[in-house]
Amino acid sequence: MTTLTGTGGLVRLIVRRDRVRIPAWFGLTALLAIGVLAAVQGAYPAEAARLEFFRTTNDNPAQLMMIGPIFDPSAAGIGAWRIRGQVALLLSLASLLLVIRHTRAEEESGRSELLGSTAIGRHAELAAALIVAIAANLGAALLMVVGFTVQGLPMDGSLVLALSFAAAGCVAAALAALTAQLTASSRAATGLAAGGVGVWYAIRAIGDANEISWLRWSSPFGWTQETRPFAGDRWWPLPLVAGLVVLLVAAACAISARRDLGAGILPARSGPATAAPWLRSPLALAWRLHRGVLIAWTVAVTAFGAVLGTTADTITDQVDDSQALRDLMAQMGGGGRPVDSFFALILYLLSQMVTIYAVQATLLLRAEELSARAETVLSGPVGRMRWMGGHLLVAAGGTVVVMAGLGLGMGLVYGLATGDVTAELPPLLAAAVVRAPAILVIAAIAAALYGVAPRFAAPVAYAVLGVCFLFEFAVAYGGADENLMRISPFAQTPALPGAEFAVVPLLWFAVVVAGLVTSGMAGFRRRDL
């Protein structure tokens, strides 16, 4: 028996278990790339507008930091630039979550030990997770190539662009394989991997914003960026990415061969012998478990909001050059000042991103149940309703805090830029917070399914979010019937600060959330753990 014995069977097991997650994560990301690229090309049909956008974007440090430079002022070149950062980060996140889920999380739950008692090699589990992650990235790349070429784009540029995205996902998967060997906790391993991806992206951002070439080349995101699709189609940076993947995987295998099953090489921090007085309630315990992720999301979203605050006027001026983008803002971002429409549109889009946090926070209930920690807590004088209610309350409150951070970052920085913080901050803060009820509708769907059918909670909740996005995108760019927008709670939220405030949709959201949460808690009270 070799260290890879049983890899094929584990690959089939992963595909069977994630037959919904993998198409949702990677397939929807590929469709997003295809759709946005088509939309951006249509938004800048005139050469003069493209040249002006090319000039202003490459002269804007904030734009260079967020996405990077535009290498070619053609419609395809601008479209490739627009999707570069988002798609690479989405595939990176999906890849690292996939690898952690089938390596460290399996050890943490005890399933790896059970599988290890059969004819399974030492590295089979790690190899299977990496094979599936790399295959998923390549599958997404293939789908993107088909979508790009159907739009009439050159095959070479389409292939380079798609492979650059797949390369970013493969590097993140290899990094996750390494961090899974370092700690005994799947949450810590995920945090280390996500932090590593964030550091790489920040290095690329700082290098581009300050025109420091060597710093840009210190990051894998800089390597994939330098493939320059539709602007020279460079292939030679891709072997650099492949070399880094090989090094990370080799390091992960070396550490895996030397550590004990279920342990990591980083020492676990010893906790106090007794809990602090404030930690002696289900609500306090839920806060303690959610605290780290909530702080990370709040800091990241607030910082991103601050960056948007610095670029609002510049981006608004750029939008004036595109009739398609002006129509999009009018449709999805409300009326009023152009900058208000810009902020409303950004809040509309980012609220869907924050929904990922809300669903993750809600489904921590499922993670606690699978790890048997919930059973330990509930064996004491703690009722099921208090335990579940504490987690849901923290998840709901955390969603409001994250959105408030986004509004605070945008409002404070934009107010400082205009010299009138008191006039700009309150409307943007309110506009951000008013988006929270729509987010909580999706989180409440996850809570209801956790109570009655926990296996389907995550896939269905994320599928609902994906359907909302695709329907809204079809209406905005594809000419679909506007009645499809009625399905999405995000489209029913008042588009502040440009539109008038309406309380009726928020009341409906409250009724729906209350009904879903009540049904979920009733189901959880009756079912077995």
Side-chain angles (χ1 to χ4, degrees), residues 412-504:
L412 183 60
V413 173
Y414 185 67
L416 290 173
T418 60
D420 196 354
V421 175
T422 57
E424 301 295 348
L425 177 57
L428 286 173
L429 184 61
V433 173
V434 81
R435 293 282 178 181
I439 297 172
L440 294 179
V441 170
I442 309 298
I445 293 174
L449 288 170
Y450 169 72
V452 298
R455 288 182 55 192
F456 300 100
V460 172
Y462 287 120
V464 170
L465 176 60
V467 167
C468 290
F469 178 82
L470 290 176
F471 280 177
E472 293 155 11
F473 187 85
V475 172
Y477 294 115
D481 190 343
E482 291 188 4
N483 288 324
L484 284 176
M485 297 286 281
R486 297 179 180 275
I487 297 175
S488 170
F490 304 103
Q492 306 306 318
T493 303
L496 303 180
E500 294 184 1
F501 177 76
V503 71
V504 174

Side-chain angles (χ1 to χ4, degrees), residues 79-91:
W81 167 83
R82 177 63 73 183
I83 64 176
R84 182 194 298 154
Q86 297 96 322
V87 175
L89 287 174
L90 285 172
L91 287 181

